[in-house]
């Protein structure tokens, strides 16, 4: 039961043996040489026609069952087969089939998630890894998240793998939890687990960099739902310690997580105590653009308090650097964050006077790109070939989409409304710079 074209254990249903068709064509064309693949038993195909990676213990010349609804039903039964090889083959085939949306939805109707969750504590590490990969793909569907979160025991199983399993399986388990945390309804159910925040913060300190990155994204998604538990678990101090990491991706992810923490009142108080606004100054000069974007977005929340604004006054080079960052029309996200920080700092008369005296022309000359030149992501591509106009999609891997960070439903904003928001913020910034006290 193996399809060499899909690297699966099922083949397409055909009403007639294709070898019979080939024989009839050869006979009608009066060919003297016949294809050895049409003979019985079938010969091995050429190396170039075979897949580069085979599933274990497979003879690709033997295929008995076809792809279809009947085959998928039998495939689910074999997930709990007593034969280890049959069970392993079935899991490999399910992993291939869930990548096809039609088959994935049909498998969800057959409640394949419940069978997979029961196998998460299997003794074979290959099976545990493949199950996490399958659940990650199914979690991208609403029906899949609904079935997965209907069994809260999956969070305990994922945490057990994340804390105690081998590195490869810890990575795929972290990806599964990260995918689940992207949905706000799932965040509410995940947060009901009593150990999820503490365990994630515990493993973040001494873990592989790629796994730490996934955990930080998960913590940021959970903090967007409820930052209180993370603040009580000293998440603020842990994120601050990650600012000095060598990997810029981890630094950026830690700043994004702290941004969610600073939306809470306690987070703003901690930001003042640790002097985060003054601490972020070197990161505005970073060579990595993602670090700069994350630092500016974090500063937009740390400069809301009076104490932080007066602290920013002590560094008069900060407004000039923020104005320079506003002149990046190819990065609208950076423009929005930099102008918002300047708006916050305009509450200080000395900074406002400095902007009006020295940087007024620079602020008025800020250019905002047109919607025809932008596809709604922070990474620009030529004619939208890499990302396309997918800004209405909730998540695009490796590309930061523009979306709301508030409200019950964080929906992606379209390009026109986002650019209009940039124009309005620029107008308010110019008005704030020229605003004078009442006595004048």
């Amino acid at each position: 039961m193996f399809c060499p074209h899909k690297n699966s254990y099922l083949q397409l249903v055909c009403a007639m043996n294709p070898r019979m068709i080939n024989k009839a064509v050869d006979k009608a064309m009066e060919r003297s040489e016949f294809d050895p693949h049409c003979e019985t038993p079938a010969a091995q195909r050429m190396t170039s026609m075979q897949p580069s990676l085979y599933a274990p213990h497979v003879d690709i010349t033997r295929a008995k069952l076809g792809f279809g609804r009947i085959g998928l039903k039998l495939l689910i039964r074999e997930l709990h087969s007593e034969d280890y090889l049959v069970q392993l083959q079935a899991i490999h085939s399910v992993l291939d089939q869930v990548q096809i949306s039609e088959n994935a939805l049909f498998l969800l109707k057959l409640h394949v998630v419940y069978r997979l969750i029961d196998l998460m504590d299997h003794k074979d590490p290959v099976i545990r890894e493949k199950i996490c990969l399958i659940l990650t793909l199914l979690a991208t569907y609403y029906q899949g998240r609904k079935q997965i979160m209907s069994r809260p025991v999956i969070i305990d199983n994922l945490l057990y793998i994340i804390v105690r399993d081998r590195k490869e399986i810890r990575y795929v388990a972290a990806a599964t939890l990260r995918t689940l945390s992207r949905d706000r309804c799932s965040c509410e159910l995940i947060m009901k687990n009593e150990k999820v925040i503490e365990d994630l913060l515990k493993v973040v300190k001494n873990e592989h960099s790629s796994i730490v990155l996934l955990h930080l994204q998960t913590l940021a998604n959970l903090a967007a739902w409820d930052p209180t538990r993370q603040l009580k678990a000293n998440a603020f101090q842990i994120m601050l310690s990650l600012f000095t990491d060598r990997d810029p991706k981890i630094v950026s992810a830690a700043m994004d997580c702290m941004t969610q923490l600073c939306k809470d009142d306690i987070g703003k108080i901690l930001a003042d105590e640790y002097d985060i606004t003054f601490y972020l100054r070197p990161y505005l000069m970073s060579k990595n653009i993602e670090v700069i974007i994350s630092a500016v977005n974090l500063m937009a929340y740390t400069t809301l308090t009076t104490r932080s604004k007066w602290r920013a006054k002590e560094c008069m080079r900060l407004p000039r650097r923020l104005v320079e960052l506003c002149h990046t029309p190819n990065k609208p996200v950076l423009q929005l964050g930099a102008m918002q920080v300047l708006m916050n700092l305009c509450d200080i008369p000395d900074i406002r006077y400095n902007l009006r005296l020295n940087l007024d022309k620079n602020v008025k000359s800020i250019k905002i790109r047109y919607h025809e030149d932008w596809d709604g992501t922070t990474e620009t591509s030529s004619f939208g070939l890499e990302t396309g106009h997918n800004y209405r999609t909730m998540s695009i891997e490796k590309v930061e989409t523009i979306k709301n960070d508030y409200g019950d439903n964080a929906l992606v904003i379209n390009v026109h409304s986002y650019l209009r928001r940039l124009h309005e913020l620029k107008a308010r910034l110019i008005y704030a710079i020229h605003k004078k006290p009442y006595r004048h």
Side-chain angles (χ1 to χ4, degrees):
M1 301 190 326
F2 184 77
C3 176
H5 303 291
K6 294 188 176 182
N7 194 21
S8 299
Y9 292 87
L10 298 177
Q11 253 184 356
L12 293 171
V13 176
C14 184
M16 182 182 296
N17 189 350
R19 297 189 180 94
M20 295 295 296
I21 301 176
N22 294 336
K23 285 183 179 179
V25 173
D26 293 337
K27 187 174 182 179
M29 298 179 65
E30 298 181 356
R31 287 185 177 177
S32 57
E33 297 180 359
F34 295 94
D35 186 3
H37 302 108
C38 298
E39 300 298 328
T40 303
Q44 288 284 349
R45 291 169 172 80
M46 296 177 60
T47 305
S48 60
M49 299 174 60
Q50 297 177 1
S52 58
L53 296 175
Y54 290 105
H57 310 288
V58 177
D59 181 9
I60 66 171
T61 64
R62 304 297 180 185
K64 301 179 181 179
L65 196 61
F67 275 121
R69 301 298 172 88
I70 298 178
L72 294 177
K73 290 181 180 179
L74 297 178
L75 192 63
I76 293 182
R77 297 180 186 176
E78 294 179 351
L79 289 176
H80 292 281
S81 175
E82 297 180 356
D83 189 352
Y84 165 73
L85 294 180
V86 174
Q87 188 180 28
L88 186 61
Q89 292 172 357
I91 290 177
H92 274 275
S93 296
V94 171
L95 178 59
D96 294 328
Q97 291 305 302
V98 295
Q99 300 183 29
I100 306 173
S101 58
E102 181 180 358
N103 293 347
L105 293 175
F106 182 73
L107 289 172
L108 288 173
K109 290 183 180 179
L110 298 178
H111 304 290
V112 68
V113 170
Y114 303 143
R115 295 178 179 266
L116 294 174
I117 294 177
D118 295 337
L119 294 174
M120 289 188 68
D121 56 350
H122 199 277
K123 62 181 181 180
D124 186 9
V126 177
I127 292 181
R128 296 198 301 270
E129 181 182 8
K130 298 300 178 183
I131 287 176
C132 291
L133 290 173
I134 295 171
L135 293 175
T136 303
L137 293 172
L138 294 178
T140 58
Y141 301 94
Y142 165 76
Q143 296 88 340
R145 293 192 299 271
K146 185 177 180 181
Q147 283 191 22
I148 292 174
M149 297 313 300
S150 64
R151 294 285 181 89
V153 69
I154 188 177
I155 306 301
D156 295 326
N157 295 338
L158 289 175
L159 292 177
Y160 184 85
I161 294 175
I162 288 172
V163 174
R164 296 177 176 85
D165 218 318
R166 59 178 65 181
K167 180 175 64 176
E168 296 81 0
I169 308 178
R170 294 202 305 268
Y171 179 82
V172 294
T176 304
L177 188 60
R178 190 270 309 267
T179 306
L180 290 172
S181 65
R182 287 176 173 174
D183 183 59
R184 298 182 68 86
C185 297
S186 300
C187 286
E188 182 181 4
L189 299 175
I190 293 174
M191 292 293 288
K192 291 182 179 180
N193 190 288
E194 298 179 355
K195 301 182 298 180
V196 59
I197 299 298
E198 290 74 11
D199 288 348
L200 290 179
L201 292 175
K202 186 185 304 181
V203 300
V204 155
K205 300 178 182 179
N206 302 310
E207 186 57 281
H208 194 269
S209 59
S210 59
I211 304 178
V212 171
L213 183 60
L214 294 175
H215 288 332
L216 289 176
Q217 294 173 357
T218 303
L219 289 171
N221 295 332
L222 296 177
W225 172 257
D226 184 15
T228 306
R229 277 186 59 184
Q230 295 192 29
L231 290 171
K232 291 180 180 179
N234 296 328
F236 190 94
Q237 291 79 0
I238 295 175
M239 297 304 148
L240 185 60
S241 65
L242 293 176
F243 282 9
T244 58
D245 195 273
R246 296 181 179 179
D247 191 353
K249 293 184 179 179
I250 293 181
V251 176
S252 176
M255 289 181 179
D256 293 338
C257 186
M258 186 175 284
T259 301
Q260 303 298 331
L261 298 178
C262 289
K263 293 180 181 180
D264 190 78
D265 294 336
I266 300 177
K268 293 185 178 68
I269 296 174
L270 291 174
D272 288 339
E273 293 180 357
Y274 285 90
D275 200 5
I276 300 299
T277 302
F278 206 74
Y279 187 79
L280 290 175
R281 292 180 305 116
Y283 295 96
L284 298 181
M285 308 296 296
S286 174
K287 297 180 180 179
N288 190 283
I289 188 63
E290 295 181 359
V291 174
I292 298 177
I293 293 175
S294 300
V296 170
N297 290 335
L298 174 57
M299 194 175 289
Y301 287 94
T302 59
T303 54
L304 292 175
T305 60
T306 305
R307 180 178 175 181
S308 62
K309 293 174 183 178
W310 283 101
R311 180 59 172 160
K313 175 193 170 184
E314 299 179 7
C315 180
M316 299 307 296
R317 296 181 181 179
L318 181 59
R320 182 175 294 276
R321 178 55 182 168
L322 291 172
V323 173
E324 292 176 358
L325 296 177
C326 290
H327 289 273
T328 53
N330 60 334
K331 294 291 182 181
V333 179
L334 183 57
Q335 282 185 308
L336 183 65
M339 286 193 289
Q340 184 61 53
V341 177
L342 288 173
M343 279 287 299
N344 297 340
L345 296 180
C346 280
D347 291 341
I348 303 300
D350 295 342
I351 297 180
R352 186 169 64 246
Y353 178 76
N354 182 25
L355 290 173
R356 182 169 64 249
L357 185 63
N358 301 321
L359 302 173
D360 187 22
K361 295 182 179 179
N362 295 338
V363 173
K364 292 182 178 179
S365 62
I366 295 176
K367 294 182 180 180
I368 300 175
R369 69 188 310 172
Y370 297 99
H371 64 276
E372 294 89 353
D373 304 329
W374 186 39
D375 57 0
T377 62
T378 58
E379 295 184 5
T380 58
S381 58
S382 58
F383 304 103
L385 293 178
E386 296 179 4
T387 57
H389 292 276
N390 292 327
Y391 47 82
R392 294 184 180 86
T393 308
M394 275 303 297
S395 60
I396 304 174
E397 289 295 333
K398 299 181 180 179
V399 177
E400 180 186 357
T401 52
I402 311 303
K403 61 181 180 180
N404 282 324
D405 54 358
Y406 56 88
D408 296 333
N409 299 318
L411 300 178
V412 178
I413 309 173
N414 58 35
V415 171
H416 297 275
S417 63
Y418 192 84
L419 294 180
R420 185 172 63 250
R421 182 180 176 185
L422 279 172
H423 284 286
E424 293 174 354
L425 183 57
K426 177 184 176 182
R428 293 202 307 270
L429 177 60
I430 295 175
Y431 174 79
I433 292 175
H434 291 273
K435 187 177 181 181
K436 297 182 180 179
Y438 290 109
R439 62 182 181 180
H440 292 286

